[in-house]
Amino acid sequence: MAGVEELTRNAVDVLPKGELERKLGHGRPLRVKLGIDPTAPDIHVGHAIPLQRMAAFQRAGHVGVLIVGDYTGRIGDPSGLSVERPVLSDEEIDSNAKRYFEQASQIIDPEKTEVRFNGEWLAKLDFAEVVRLTRTITVARLLERDDFAKRFTTQTPISVSELLYPFMQAYDSVAVTADVELGGTDQLYNLLAGREVMQAYGLEPQVALTTPLLIGTDGRKMSASLGNYIGLAEPPEEQFGKTMRISDELLPDYYRLVMESDEDPLRMEPMEAKLALARFIVRRSHGEEAAAQAEAHFTRVVREGQAPEDVHEVDLPAGDPVHLPALLVELFRISSTSEARRLIAQGGVKLDGAVISDLDVPRGVLEGALLQAGKRQFVRFRPA
């Protein structure tokens, strides 16, 4: 059985002190809870950090309880936000929720996991029960949360629904009789609130175990809402390419938290350190062969500047000549024709490997040719 050190690897908080050791002394499997709101269709590698702790508990004989917040997702957790989170439609939430367990199973043991949707119990609470729940925590205690406190001080609106979120997450712990709840450091208030609510309902309070937040590809906290994440279900080439764009100074955190490696990547050549990290992330999601293929694709397209082996073929639009800026906007992720013109002027557009500067190109020149925009975007036009 794993020791406390392995169960709490990379943990920031394990509260109250000594309580986890006491619970482990019960001699029964602990119920280890992690909740994820389905705000996006993908679980990302930041979510995987607390999932890795759940997996460690499972290896030690304990039970993982994965809460899919289909109900709380209709409100949105305001943790770390300066404004209220946009509410998703029921269809978006239901669609996202269906994918979660499959993705989480890359990390945790599905045979030792209970998957619960918190709509099972939250949707059944009548108004009297909700009022009883709200009596377990005072308004003053709620306003101790950093995000609420800052917004209250600056007179930024706080909706009552947001104030109810910690109660709802805490009630999840009551419903599943959690022994331990996992979460990022931004969840510490909610996890401790769960202890108060459990005690009010006559249950033994849970242990709060937090893990660090991972920085995303844009330098901010990795978040599905911000779109700066590496998703566990993303295609291998996308995972590999995003990983390779992580800044060098973040590599120690990724090695420690994602790979759970004691190796210091700063003692390695940066490219090799990133390649090892990218291989790990792709291999965990898609297997060894996919990792090798993704690396080969990255080497060919990014490092050597060649076209991918399988280039998407498209038909040319009607007209002769063809206006290249409009074509680039249609085919690639380019926001406007003015942005496309800037890319052309900077030499960032090539036809069959040669820089092209013309804005209007004869149709015959494009037929059967390979068009490249930037370093990674390619299409081949079908011959006439």
Side-chain angles (χ1 to χ4, degrees):
M1 180 174 288
V4 174
E5 296 77 13
E6 175 58 22
L7 298 178
T8 60
R9 180 169 185 159
N10 293 323
V12 177
D13 305 290
V14 184
L15 298 173
K17 187 175 181 181
E19 184 68 5
L20 177 59
E21 289 83 350
R22 189 186 70 80
K23 283 182 178 284
L24 290 169
H26 289 340
R28 61 169 177 82
L30 300 183
R31 295 176 59 76
V32 183
K33 170 198 170 192
L34 174 65
I36 306 177
D37 279 349
T39 51
D42 286 338
I43 294 178
H44 55 65
V45 296
H47 290 136
I49 295 169
L51 283 169
Q52 287 163 195
R53 299 281 45 79
M54 179 178 281
F57 274 95
Q58 289 177 321
R59 289 192 296 271
H62 304 290
V63 178
V65 184
L66 184 64
I67 307 290
V68 178
D70 63 324
Y71 205 83
T72 45
R74 287 166 169 81
I75 292 179
D77 180 11
S79 293
L81 299 181
S82 58
V83 294
E84 185 173 6
R85 186 190 296 277
V87 178
L88 300 180
S89 70
D90 289 353
E91 292 76 16
E92 289 174 302
I93 289 171
D94 291 342
S95 174
N96 292 347
K98 290 176 183 176
R99 299 183 56 176
Y100 268 56
F101 182 56
E102 179 182 346
Q103 295 176 42
S105 294
Q106 296 177 20
I107 312 295
I108 60 179
D109 184 344
E111 300 298 322
K112 297 179 181 177
T113 306
E114 289 183 20
V115 182
R116 306 289 296 275
F117 290 74
N118 62 14
E120 293 176 36
W121 47 84
L122 292 177
K124 296 176 183 176
L125 294 181
D126 61 23
F127 193 70
E129 188 60 39
V130 171
V131 171
R132 179 195 172 192
L133 177 59
T134 60
R135 287 175 179 157
T136 60
I137 302 177
T138 67
V139 172
R141 179 83 172 88
L142 285 172
L143 292 178
E144 290 176 9
R145 275 181 55 148
D146 286 344
D147 43 8
F148 286 159
K150 290 174 183 175
R151 289 163 64 183
F152 185 77
T153 301
T154 59
Q155 298 186 341
T156 303
I158 305 171
S159 71
V160 174
S161 66
E162 291 181 279
L163 294 176
L164 288 175
Y165 188 97
F167 293 101
M168 298 167 74
Q169 182 172 332
Y171 195 78
D172 291 349
S173 295
V174 171
V176 301
T177 57
D179 291 299
V180 179
E181 183 170 10
L182 309 173
T185 51
D186 60 341
Q187 290 292 310
L188 180 59
Y189 177 93
N190 289 347
L191 272 55
L192 293 176
R195 287 181 51 81
E196 296 183 42
V197 173
M198 291 181 78
Q199 193 162 19
Y201 277 80
L203 299 175
E204 183 177 290
Q206 65 190 11
V207 171
L209 193 158
T210 67
T211 55
L213 302 178
L214 194 65
I215 301 300
T217 55
D218 64 353
R220 295 180 291 174
K221 181 190 82 170
M222 184 172 288
S223 165
S225 302
L226 296 175
N228 63 350
Y229 63 97
I230 303 169
L232 297 188
E234 288 186 296
E237 292 169 2
E238 191 76 13
Q239 287 182 330
F240 204 98
K242 284 185 176 182
T243 304
M244 296 303 295
R245 294 197 290 274
I246 293 168
S247 62
D248 293 353
E249 59 267 23
L250 292 178
L251 282 172
D253 284 344
Y254 274 76
Y255 266 61
R256 178 172 59 92
L257 300 174
V258 178
M259 296 178 68
E260 296 192 342
S261 169
D262 295 325
E263 189 170 9
D264 181 3
L266 297 183
R267 300 184 131 198
M268 306 164 61
E269 197 278 320
M271 178 63 73
E272 289 305 316
K274 288 185 184 180
L275 286 170
L277 175 63
R279 291 185 203 111
F280 173 86
I281 289 173
V282 177
R283 182 170 58 247
R284 183 173 65 180
S285 292
H286 301 286
E288 192 70 52
E289 183 178 352
Q293 291 175 351
E295 182 173 1
H297 174 88
F298 178 82
T299 299
R300 179 181 178 87
V301 175
V302 179
R303 300 183 74 180
E304 298 176 356
Q306 300 182 48
E309 292 184 354
D310 297 320
V311 179
H312 181 56
E313 287 196 351
V314 299
D315 292 317
L316 280 167
D320 189 7
V322 176
H323 190 56
L324 189 56
L327 186 61
L328 292 171
V329 170
E330 179 183 346
L331 295 176
F332 302 120
R333 289 171 289 185
I334 296 175
S335 58
S336 64
T337 53
S338 58
E339 179 66 25
R341 288 191 192 96
R342 277 195 293 272
L343 186 62
I344 294 168
Q346 292 166 359
V349 179
K350 297 179 181 179
L351 199 63
D352 286 334
V355 173
I356 185 168
S357 57
D358 296 334
L359 298 183
D360 294 294
V361 184
R363 186 181 184 85
V365 172
L366 293 173
E367 289 175 347
L370 177 72
L371 180 67
Q372 176 182 354
K375 292 183 177 180
R376 301 178 180 87
Q377 300 186 90
F378 297 84
V379 296
R380 187 178 295 280
F381 298 111
R382 294 188 181 95

